[in-house]
Amino acid sequence: MATSCTKKEGTPGPDDSAFRTQSELSDVVIVVEGRPLHVNRSVLSLISPVFLKMFNGEWKGKAEVPLADKKYDHFVELLLCVYPPHGKLISMETLDVVLPLADEYGIESLKLRCEAFVLARFQHRITKFNNPPTKELVHFLYLADKYKLKTLLEESVEKVILRPYDGKGGVKMLNEFGLLSVEVKYRITSERLCLLEKQQCPFSL
């Protein structure tokens, strides 16, 4: 599935200079795609309960830890978002990279930052942000459903029920709409029905 943060060929990767070499504070090396990232296990353990469990379990005492199923640039983006003192802001280019990793590693604060980023777009004074194209809106809905972002789910549903449903360009025709949970699909169809009934009977209470 294509994401909004697909890196264009020739585009430089994220700034990994803080993690390329050993520092006074780094005490473990995480190897991603054969490339080392020098980090501090205590810092990662404070950020993520999953890292805490790993460093006290299968990774305990290891000076070097390989992550075979991760992409180097994606993991650097995660570190830049959560590792002090960086605190990199979420963007459309990084949302689909850091949100899945935040969910995988149980970093709830980063998940909430991702949610807040999209909600801020919904409230933006510029129309193209607060009223995104249907495909982008359904993508936000899909993320909210998949990663249990309750506030974003509410806001996305409110917008989606106002969009065309069937036919060319309708929300039902988009791939990610098909990936939504049964509960969310049912809610959308139910709320659309209620909306249509109110429009057809303007004097109803």
Side-chain angles (χ1 to χ4, degrees):
M1 183 194 317
T3 65
S4 61
C5 54
T6 301
K7 182 181 171 185
K8 295 180 180 178
E9 188 174 351
T11 302
D15 182 9
D16 60 353
S17 58
F19 312 106
R20 279 200 305 260
T21 58
Q22 186 175 4
S23 70
E24 292 182 0
L25 296 177
S26 61
D27 60 2
V28 66
V29 178
I30 294 180
V31 181
V32 185
E33 293 187 315
R35 301 167 68 181
L37 290 166
H38 297 264
V39 293
N40 182 282
R41 68 185 75 217
S42 295
V43 170
L44 291 183
S45 296
L46 284 171
I47 293 168
S48 160
V50 176
F51 278 125
L52 175 61
K53 183 177 180 180
M54 288 178 171
F55 283 127
N56 286 325
E58 59 182 301
W59 294 354
K60 189 171 184 178
K62 291 187 177 181
E64 187 171 294
V65 177
L67 289 182
D69 60 341
K70 298 293 178 288
K71 293 184 178 180
Y72 181 83
D73 284 355
H74 291 187
F75 201 81
V76 171
E77 288 288 3
L78 175 69
L79 292 177
L80 290 173
C81 286
V82 299
Y83 204 92
H86 304 283
K88 184 177 179 179
L89 298 177
I90 309 300
S91 68
M92 283 298 291
E93 290 70 37
T94 61
L95 174 66
D96 292 290
V97 164
V98 298
L99 180 54
L101 290 174
D103 184 70
E104 179 179 351
Y105 290 109
I107 310 175
E108 290 300 318
S109 60
L110 183 54
K111 287 179 64 175
L112 292 176
R113 283 173 56 196
C114 290
E115 180 180 46
F117 165 75
V118 180
L119 291 173
R121 289 178 70 87
F122 283 174
Q123 297 167 4
H124 204 284
R125 60 184 177 82
I126 298 178
T127 303
K128 71 177 181 178
F129 294 145
N130 64 40
N131 191 35
T134 298
K135 185 175 181 180
E136 186 174 281
L137 177 58
V138 171
H139 179 61
F140 292 147
L141 175 65
Y142 166 75
L143 293 179
D145 184 29
K146 182 175 182 178
Y147 298 112
K148 311 302 183 209
L149 305 176
K150 294 182 180 179
T151 305
L152 179 57
L153 183 64
E154 296 294 322
E155 295 285 338
S156 298
V157 167
E158 284 187 17
K159 289 180 177 292
V160 164
I161 62 174
L162 300 176
R163 301 294 175 93
Y165 188 70
D166 293 305
K168 185 177 181 180
V171 296
K172 186 180 179 181
M173 307 306 295
L174 296 172
N175 290 336
E176 286 188 313
F177 187 85
L179 299 176
L180 295 173
S181 65
V182 173
E183 292 80 10
V184 171
K185 288 180 184 176
Y186 177 77
R187 178 179 171 184
I188 290 171
T189 54
S190 297
E191 293 195 16
R192 277 182 55 81
L193 181 60
C194 290
L195 187 62
L196 288 171
E197 289 176 345
K198 288 181 181 179
Q199 290 173 345
Q200 292 170 3
C201 186
F203 300 107
S204 61
L205 297 178

